[in-house]
Amino acid sequence: LSICGKLCYAIGGAPNQVAGSAAAFFLQIYLLDIAHITPFHASLVLFIGKASGAVTDPVAGFFISKSRWTKIGRLMPWMLACTPFTVVSYFFMWYLPPFVSGRVAWYLTFYCLFQALTTLFQVPYSALTMFLSTDQKERDSATAYRMTMEVLGTLIGAALQGQIVASAHVSHHCIVNPLVNTTDSWHDTPSFPDPSDPLSHQAKVYMIAAGVIGGVYLLGIVILFLGVKEKDDPYALNSDKAIPFCKGLGLTMKHGPYVKLTASFLLISTAVQLEQSNFVLFCTHAADLRNHFQYLVVTILVSAAVSIPFWEKFLQRFGKKCAACGI
């Protein structure tokens, strides 16, 4: 594999991380402050959306494993086909519809679609590593490129979204004088556009951010398609009789260490996602840092990216399990 090929492979998956990071940090505050959805309904949208992505995982694996080889490969057609729909669902996920009563259903629909489509992209993209080369070292190197680009994608997504939408949450520092009590005083109160208006500044900046990240998706899939060549399964002729998908899934879920690892990852990722989704909300409404939250988010992600080499050395020195428990 050439360095260019590895870079093209890594860049192809970065848009998923860019969009995922933007949604993780900003979707909850958007639903509450801009779309004016109740906290209960906002949490319902986020929960059901994540659940739909989880359900799509094994379903996508089943259908992809059944698909036939084409001129551009077996996995590439899936990624090409779902990307335009992913861009559309992502944009409408940040679009403020003119009606109010059906907004919960609107955001629930498009967030579920977005989660399902990103999963449908991520499953073949992750599996593509095995079809880049027959050399284990080359595959490991491609994985390192991919992981590096995914970390950068997470950083870019939060930074892009934060810088573009920051003005939607900036405080006007309005001071109301309680001593003034005249009958016409309400005429002098400064009026600010209602965020729930589809034409308001707050709604527009979120749509601009969605359009920019949608463009990143299209750029990423073009680079992936032009720069990566999927090779046929080199182990197909040497393997034993294929195990049916459901039977293979059952055998996997009966493997104790794998189940424990998956369960621990579930709990850790849940904690991280809770912190992500509530951090901007906390900075804006509890800590009175609405003018600085975008820089705090970038600082957190930069510190995470910079610390990766240290944790790699830590991992090599103390082992995977000890490092995970120690961290």
Side-chain angles (χ1 to χ4, degrees):
L1 287 174
S2 65
I3 293 177
C4 180
K6 294 174 187 176
L7 277 173
C8 290
Y9 170 64
I11 291 171
N16 251 0
Q17 306 303 319
V18 172
S21 175
F25 278 107
F26 295 95
L27 184 59
Q28 182 165 253
I29 196 170
Y30 169 81
L31 294 176
L32 293 172
D33 285 8
I34 310 300
H36 286 180
I37 292 177
T38 64
F40 171 76
H41 287 122
S43 62
L44 202 63
V45 168
L46 296 175
F47 173 76
I48 296 176
K50 288 287 184 183
S52 68
V55 171
T56 310
D57 247 314
V59 175
F62 175 78
F63 284 109
I64 291 169
S65 66
K66 296 292 183 182
S67 59
R68 296 181 179 181
W69 181 267
T70 66
K71 290 182 180 180
I72 58 173
R74 176 186 295 172
L75 304 173
M76 192 66 75
W78 285 90
M79 293 180 280
L80 285 173
C82 72
T83 297
F85 298 102
T86 305
V87 173
V88 172
S89 63
Y90 183 80
F91 179 81
F92 281 114
M93 192 174 80
W94 302 97
Y95 174 75
L96 193 64
F99 49 84
V100 177
S101 59
R103 282 183 183 175
V104 175
W106 174 278
Y107 291 112
L108 182 61
T109 299
F110 284 106
Y111 188 53
C112 287
L113 276 174
F114 173 72
Q115 287 293 329
L117 288 165
T118 52
T119 303
L120 199 60
F121 179 94
Q122 194 65 32
V123 170
Y125 174 75
S126 301
L128 185 60
T129 311
M130 296 301 295
F131 300 94
L132 295 176
S133 172
T134 56
D135 187 354
Q136 179 67 47
K137 290 183 179 179
E138 290 289 343
R139 293 199 298 267
D140 289 346
S141 177
T143 301
Y145 274 79
R146 174 173 65 87
M147 295 297 289
T148 302
M149 198 58 67
E150 285 180 349
V151 171
L152 289 175
T154 303
L155 176 59
I156 291 169
L160 264 178
Q161 184 86 3
Q163 292 300 320
I164 295 173
V165 307
S167 59
H169 302 282
V170 171
S171 173
H172 296 286
H173 298 292
C174 300
I175 300 175
V176 179
N177 188 353
L179 299 177
V180 178
N181 188 19
T182 61
T183 56
D184 294 331
S185 62
W186 63 276
H187 289 295
D188 301 324
T189 304
S191 60
F192 299 103
D194 181 10
S196 63
D197 177 10
L199 299 177
S200 68
H201 169 72
Q202 291 93 329
K204 286 179 180 178
V205 293
Y206 270 99
M207 283 190 286
I208 291 171
V212 171
I213 293 177
V216 173
Y217 256 110
L218 296 176
L219 179 63
I221 193 64
V222 168
I223 292 174
L224 180 68
F225 177 71
L226 296 178
V228 176
K229 182 174 176 58
E230 181 183 345
K231 297 180 180 179
D232 202 357
D233 187 359
Y235 311 104
L237 299 176
N238 300 325
S239 61
D240 297 326
K241 186 178 179 181
I243 299 174
F245 178 83
C246 293
K247 183 179 179 182
L249 185 63
L251 289 171
T252 303
M253 297 311 296
K254 288 178 182 177
H255 186 58
Y258 177 78
V259 173
K260 292 173 184 174
L261 178 66
T262 305
S264 64
F265 178 76
L266 170 68
L267 295 172
I268 292 169
S269 60
T270 300
V272 172
Q273 288 180 23
L274 280 170
E275 186 175 4
Q276 274 186 321
S277 61
N278 286 304
F279 181 74
V280 174
L281 203 63
F282 170 79
C283 288
T284 303
H285 292 294
D288 196 23
L289 295 170
R290 63 177 67 239
N291 295 334
H292 311 285
F293 68 87
Q294 69 271 27
Y295 305 114
L296 294 171
V297 169
V298 172
T299 302
I300 289 171
L301 293 176
V302 167
S303 67
V306 169
S307 68
I308 288 175
F310 169 77
W311 292 121
E312 184 182 3
K313 298 294 182 184
F314 192 92
L315 193 75
Q316 294 171 350
R317 174 68 177 82
F318 296 102
K320 293 183 177 69
K321 188 185 292 187
C322 182
C325 294
I327 292 169

